[in-house]
Amino acid sequence: MNTHFVFRSFTQTMSEEDGEEWMPSKPKPKAPRKPATSNAKSKQPKAPKVPKEPKPKAPRKPPVKPAMKRERLSFTVSEAHQDNRWVNEGPSSLGYTVKKEEQEDYTFEDPCTIKPSGRQLPSTLRSPLAKSLRNQLNMNWDLIELLSILTNVEPWVCVNIVTLLQEENTVPFMVRYRKDMINHMDADAVREVQLVYEDLCALAKKTQSVIQTLKKDGNLTSELEQNLRNCRSADELDHVYSPYKKGSKLTKARRAKALGLEEAASTLLESPHTLDLNKWVQPGTEGLSTVEEVATGVEHILADVIAKDPDTLTYVKELCEKSHITIQSSVSKTALKDKEKTEKTAHSKPGSQQNKKQDMDKFSLYFDFTCNIHRIQSHQTLAINRGESLKILTVKINIPDRVKSDFTTWCINCRWRTKTFAREELRVLIKNAVEDSYKRLILPFLTRSYRTKLTTAAEKESIAMFVRNLRQRLLAGPVRGCVLMGVDPGFRHGCKVAVLSPTSQILHTDVFYLHNSSTHQEADKLRHLLIKYGCTKIVIGNGTACRETEAFFSDLISRRYFQPLDVSYCITNEAGASIYSVSPEAVKEMPDLDPNLRSAVSIGRRVQDPMAELVKIDPKHIGIGTYQHDVSAGALKSALDGVVQECVSFVGVDINICSETLMRHVAGLNAGRARSIAEWREQNGPFINREQLKLVKGMGPKSFQQCAGFIRINPQTLEWYFSLPQSGPAIPEKISSKKGKGKSCVAVPSSVNPLDQTCIHPESYHTAQRFDNKKHITLSPIAAGQKQTLSPGSFRHCSIWG
């Protein structure tokens, strides 16, 4: 006899004609051979006949078109629906454009997919956008080219993604309805391109701000401006700009320049045979009183010039790439001193000292840790960073001495070699300047650069893990159609219990003390409660007293204590339930319920509808990753919000029954629009079709375009609503149009459209209505009693999501 039952759920997967899209046939390999026959001199008069070959007709002969046509959907739609067609079927323009919100024009043009035949984007296609972006950013690098290099995405795809982002398209919309433009990339890949694009735009904006600041302070030179515009990362920009920041201490090079030694440094490189350091000596002046001080000032100027030279930095980075560079961590002196104090005062303050000892024990693996920077794992990097921030670990980057020797030799003999003969003391001065530049300026720059790269890569991987785990939690299969009991286990304060209806309505709440002496009485109360409401599923949170509560229910089920009910149970993750129970959303949703009982309700609803419940909780509190406090808060929030929007949009929402909180995460909607939709639904009843969304306050053409494909009009919901005795007519005869100041009147039809329950976007309705209708089946009758037809060969493409 089984004592443990596990819920099993099934999720239906859908394909959206990914494998059924028509693609032009590849050109035959024999085609390019024909022009070669005209090379003979005797056949030169026949050369003009070459253009007569039907080359343009090649892509118009898709051999797979008839085969694909048999597998596509076919709809039989009434003429009334075709008369209400609002999609513009005119010729498409060269670019995908959407009209301004003020005009209230809801027609969509066919997007133009820039897709060259080769891998590299021709300059004729890329030049307009590239020139526009270059003029906007005003940097010395090409945004599309750099974006393609950093993301390993083809340039023509980068052009389309940037164009779509500039038109304010959301990632779910691009992935679902602009597949050809983004080369069928998934949401994570598109989001990565978006993040890199935003980082580059932010870098360009910051560079402009730095240039304006330097110009205002009088420190901007043409060479410095070019160096700033050449920067391809925030780290490079900070390295060039740091000596000129306000509030920073005066560098050694700037002190020497203030003494007028910049001319001497320039003379040393250009014509050292004419340089006499004794001419720069000024007795009584600090920094110029002796020849040694003058030579030191010249060295500082040369070291600064060498450290900021792009060629020099490029060469030293190449040397590092060929070397074995490691990151090393060890226990800090501060931690050792604290450990000694802990051992001496262990008896006086046992609590606080014990906590410090536990913190040190967490990082014991990194007290003597060394690893190649190319092989270190992301969690190791984050652990080392946390230990360093707690002053438990000391971290450094080890660069071999061979890099220094090769760099010094190259600088003296090649890059910074004097143009004319230099005396021995002047050559020594240049050598000292190179060594000082490497030790004091370049080496710290390389260390910061490697630490930044490691931290950035670790944060990126950590956020990716958050995203993967959150997607799995949100897309978990729901358990529908049964009464369910949510249990928040506990010892002293008892187990909080909430009985939920199949529609997640609260039927009963109570507290049971299952882990004391009166367990028999509590078991009788539980049996009476389960039989009263016909509850057959029990959901136990995985918090404190979880295993003890599981053993209690398992024992009762094994003894068939709940007969005649066939009861089973499962354990679910309750992370974030306590935080949600005291949140404003929970107070608004369950105002008269105790916060402890709200957590039991949340635990039960997580199994009935995981997505609808988990979107109410901050993703950071769901317990889906590690080191959430060490990664960038803004990047983490942006990624998690993006994946929530992606999951909610791809599954789809029934606009007539979904909560306002869930609607906020649909692509194209926000808190204000979700509130307006809920208010419209309360005042006018359910939505009959998608086009009625145009009547909602704040819903413009762009917002409608982004959200329409992810919103469903479920016929079963309409049947249930119009079957209520207090409801009005099945379908309103007339719906008022939205009219605003300076806006044209928007009229929408009031008939039911069967395509509104599918993932087909309204901009493609005219294409769907042209499908072959030879074979079809009848959909379930909708509120008005009308019956629409759908072909069985393509029903799987248009079934209801959500």
Side-chain angles (χ1 to χ4, degrees), residues 510-739:
D510 204 343
V511 179
F512 291 86
Y513 297 89
L514 307 180
H515 310 298
N516 53 19
S517 58
S518 59
T519 56
H520 184 71
Q521 298 178 0
E522 299 297 312
D524 289 341
K525 290 171 60 179
L526 273 174
R527 182 175 183 276
H528 175 72
L529 185 63
L530 292 177
I531 293 177
K532 177 181 179 181
Y533 292 102
C535 179
T536 58
K537 310 294 182 184
I538 300 174
V539 182
I540 305 173
N542 65 343
T544 305
C546 168
R547 293 307 175 188
E548 291 77 5
T549 306
E550 178 191 9
F552 178 84
F553 281 103
S554 178
D555 178 64
L556 296 180
I557 292 173
S558 64
R559 293 191 286 114
R560 299 183 179 274
Y561 189 79
F562 301 111
Q563 283 188 343
L565 297 178
D566 183 14
V567 179
S568 59
Y569 75 91
C570 74
I571 298 176
T572 188
N573 194 326
E574 67 173 25
S578 300
I579 297 176
Y580 165 72
S581 62
V582 294
S583 64
E585 290 82 1
V587 174
K588 181 180 179 181
E589 187 178 1
M590 298 171 279
D592 302 328
L593 203 60
D594 184 81
N596 294 323
L597 296 174
R598 292 174 189 160
S599 62
V601 175
S602 177
I603 291 173
R605 288 176 175 175
R606 291 185 183 198
V607 175
Q608 282 188 323
D609 195 346
M611 178 177 293
E613 186 64 24
L614 292 177
V615 296
K616 305 174 184 177
I617 304 172
D618 190 343
K620 292 189 298 184
H621 299 149
I622 302 179
I624 53 175
T626 57
Y627 297 99
Q628 64 186 33
H629 300 293
D630 295 338
V631 301
S632 172
L636 179 61
K637 185 179 185 303
S638 176
L640 296 183
D641 291 346
V643 73
V644 171
Q645 184 187 67
E646 169 199 335
C647 293
V648 173
S649 300
F650 285 178
V651 171
V653 296
D654 188 342
I655 195 65
N656 290 320
I657 60 175
C658 70
S659 64
E660 180 181 332
T661 305
L662 187 62
M663 278 191 289
R664 296 175 187 172
H665 299 283
V666 177
L669 300 182
N670 53 23
R673 297 190 186 103
R675 190 182 309 111
S676 299
I677 291 175
E679 292 175 355
W680 194 96
R681 190 172 59 189
E682 293 176 0
Q683 296 174 1
N684 302 278
F687 289 88
I688 305 300
N689 51 50
R690 284 172 173 169
E691 295 187 37
Q692 289 183 348
L693 290 169
K694 302 174 186 179
L695 304 176
V696 177
K697 179 182 179 181
M699 185 68 69
K702 173 59 69 172
S703 303
F704 178 80
Q705 180 197 39
Q706 298 299 308
C707 73
F710 308 115
I711 287 176
R712 309 285 184 266
I713 307 297
N714 196 331
Q716 285 78 16
T717 304
L718 294 178
E719 289 177 0
W720 169 82
Y721 177 83
F722 290 117
S723 65
L724 298 177
Q726 66 273 16
S727 62
I731 297 180
E733 297 179 358
K734 186 176 181 181
I735 299 180
S736 59
S737 302
K738 181 172 68 172
K739 204 171 186 180

Side-chain angles (χ1 to χ4, degrees), residues 73-85:
L73 291 176
S74 65
F75 287 89
T76 303
V77 186
S78 62
E79 296 181 358
H81 300 146
Q82 297 183 0
D83 295 337
N84 292 327
R85 185 182 306 169

Side-chain angles (χ1 to χ4, degrees), residues 343-545:
E343 294 176 353
K344 293 179 181 180
T345 61
H347 301 287
S348 59
K349 298 180 179 180
S352 60
Q353 303 302 334
Q354 185 69 20
N355 293 335
K356 290 183 179 180
K357 184 178 179 180
Q358 291 177 357
D359 290 339
M360 289 193 63
D361 293 341
K362 294 178 182 178
F363 300 96
S364 59
L365 294 175
Y366 304 99
F367 284 172
D368 187 11
F369 177 82
T370 303
C371 183
N372 191 309
I373 60 172
H374 298 296
R375 297 180 181 178
I376 188 171
Q377 301 297 318
S378 299
H379 67 89
Q380 294 174 331
T381 301
L382 295 176
I384 289 174
N385 291 347
R386 178 179 290 185
E388 186 181 27
S389 64
L390 296 175
K391 299 182 179 180
I392 297 176
L393 300 177
T394 300
V395 187
K396 64 178 180 179
I397 299 292
N398 296 323
I399 299 178
D401 295 335
R402 184 174 59 84
V403 175
K404 177 183 178 181
S405 60
D406 293 350
F407 172 76
T408 304
T409 302
W410 177 78
C411 287
I412 295 175
N413 298 330
C414 299
R415 183 68 180 91
W416 301 102
R417 184 179 179 181
T418 57
K419 295 184 178 180
T420 60
F421 174 77
R423 299 186 301 275
E424 180 64 24
E425 61 272 16
L426 296 182
R427 289 201 297 270
V428 172
L429 192 148
I430 294 177
K431 180 180 179 181
N432 294 338
V434 172
E435 293 178 349
D436 178 60
S437 175
Y438 179 82
K439 180 180 180 181
R440 184 169 56 88
L441 300 175
I442 295 179
L443 191 59
F445 166 72
L446 293 175
T447 301
R448 292 193 305 269
S449 177
Y450 281 118
R451 291 294 302 276
T452 302
K453 288 180 180 178
L454 290 176
T455 302
T456 303
E459 290 184 353
K460 183 179 179 181
E461 178 59 29
S462 178
I463 292 175
M465 181 180 64
F466 272 92
V467 168
R468 290 194 298 268
N469 294 343
L470 179 60
R471 184 182 288 111
Q472 292 178 358
R473 295 286 302 277
L474 291 177
L475 297 180
V479 178
R480 301 184 184 275
C482 63
V483 180
L484 184 145
M485 174 186 288
V487 181
D488 184 8
F491 287 114
R492 177 181 299 181
H493 301 289
C495 297
K496 281 69 69 177
V497 171
V499 180
L500 305 177
S501 69
T503 58
S504 298
Q505 301 298 319
I506 303 174
L507 302 178
H508 182 81
T509 57
D510 204 343
V511 179
F512 291 86
Y513 297 89
L514 307 180
H515 310 298
N516 53 19
S517 58
S518 59
T519 56
H520 184 71
Q521 298 178 0
E522 299 297 312
D524 289 341
K525 290 171 60 179
L526 273 174
R527 182 175 183 276
H528 175 72
L529 185 63
L530 292 177
I531 293 177
K532 177 181 179 181
Y533 292 102
C535 179
T536 58
K537 310 294 182 184
I538 300 174
V539 182
I540 305 173
N542 65 343
T544 305

